[in-house]
Amino acid sequence: MGSAPLLELLGNRRVTVEGSTGVLLYESENIKINTNRMVVSFRGRGLCVRCISSSCVEIEGFICGIDFIT
Amino acid sequence: MLVELVRLLRGYVVFEARGKFTERLLNITSQRGIALWNAMPQPGVLTGAMSASEYRRIRPVAAKAKVRLRIKQKRGFPFFVIKYKPRVGIPIGGVLGLALMLFLSNFIWTVNISGAEHISNTEVVDALEENGVRIGAYKGSVDPAAVKRDLLLKIDGLGWMSLNLTGSTAQVELKEMTDRPKTGSTLVPCNIKAAKDGVITKVNAKTGTSVVKKGSGVTKGELLVSGVVPSENGINSYLHADAEVYADVISKLEIKIPKSHEYYFLTENYIDRRRLCLFGVELPFSASFRSFENSAFYQRSKSLCINNTSLPLGIKTQTECEAVLLDSSCDKAKAEKICANELAIYEAFKTGGSITDRKIKMTEDKNSFCFEADYILNENIAQSVDFSVTE
């Protein structure tokens, strides 16, 4: 559990992912974030990365769905 | 907003990255701690913004991510400086202009005088200039309190003044003295005495005892109506005597009119000489070496005015008018006419009462006509003179 990513959602408009290791897919309808254990996929429209650091990503936009891909 | 301001000061670029794997660029920048913002995904293209110094570092790394970087926009202060670097005169001129404004603001640019109705403005300006308050004077050398003391002593009729140095304007406010109203207290005992020599024609004593009557000859200072009234029990009462005493008074007037005299006549010829005035310094800018043999001068000045505020920049024009010496002669008829005019003015303005008689005698010598007019005027010669009851 310690290495699992931490997702903080602000409604369906903003999400902060802590524990990310990089961006795998970057599109306005789909953003995939790589973490240690899984890949988290965000579906929606108008998605963009608000800010990104070595271990944290903040995504903004209209989020319609979140998939956890192991 | 502060973040945006810092970004503008440091300078940043808006770029686009084209390639198959634009996500790699995002990962590389995040791993290297490079700040990237406004990352917008588009098919095959990633647009974003980054500071200029970090963009230089990321360029070689972008090749690893197999993306091609292209700058779309450069924004911020460093790019502004680079753009206007050849035009170095603009910032230098701006700094010099600002320094000049700061320096000149320590001097007086205008002197405004308000409140002078009967006192001449020229007199006030001259007095101020003697105390160092003039256009172009250094503000630090002006002592308002000392100027106030000096002006109150020098200018007659000045009751109060203040000098305020507001910005570069010397604001002078004046208040003139008002004449003390004559109260004429009826409680103060006084006599009525003769103001002039004459022969009494009428006495109208309202209070007091008359000591003269019609036909009496009186000299100047003689008692006419007494304010001391003796009573039956021997105690005197002291009154404020009030009376009108009319007398025939002799007045003489002598008028001498020369037979010929010289006078200067101004022709239509003139020369204008202009000077540029800047902060009290006058620079001539019209050269005219001509001059008339006899001339009269007058001067006028015009200052630049912006928004009802006059600035210490103007033009002073000195005009030299040609004057020609002419000779005029006067015959007897002309002299009599001049004398008649002079007498008319004297009778209209200088005589206090009615004219009973007038005799005019004319004598002539080598150079002039001399007229002697003897008037007998009937006027009020009563003059109140206070006295002390202890005398």
Side-chain angles (χ1 to χ4, degrees), chain B residues 81-143:
Chain B
V81 170
I82 290 166
K83 186 179 173 185
Y84 291 103
K85 209 172 180 181
R87 292 180 175 80
V88 70
I90 295 175
I92 290 174
V95 168
L96 283 176
L98 189 65
L100 191 66
M101 282 292 288
L102 288 171
F103 173 71
L104 291 177
S105 64
N106 288 316
F107 297 88
I108 294 174
W109 288 25
T110 54
V111 178
N112 286 339
I113 301 169
S114 62
E117 289 177 9
H118 301 105
I119 297 175
S120 151
N121 251 21
T122 314
E123 190 183 355
V124 176
V125 168
D126 289 341
L128 286 169
E129 283 187 2
E130 282 174 25
N131 284 280
V133 180
R134 67 175 75 85
I135 293 173
Y138 178 57
K139 284 196 305 186
S141 66
V142 174
D143 181 5

Side-chain angles (χ1 to χ4, degrees), chain A residues 6-7 9 17-18 22 24-25 27 31 36 39 49 53 58:
Chain A
L6 178 65
L7 276 72
L9 281 154
V17 180
E18 287 182 30
L24 294 176
L25 179 66
E27 289 172 359
I31 295 179
N36 281 333
V39 173
V49 170
S53 70
E58 196 170 313

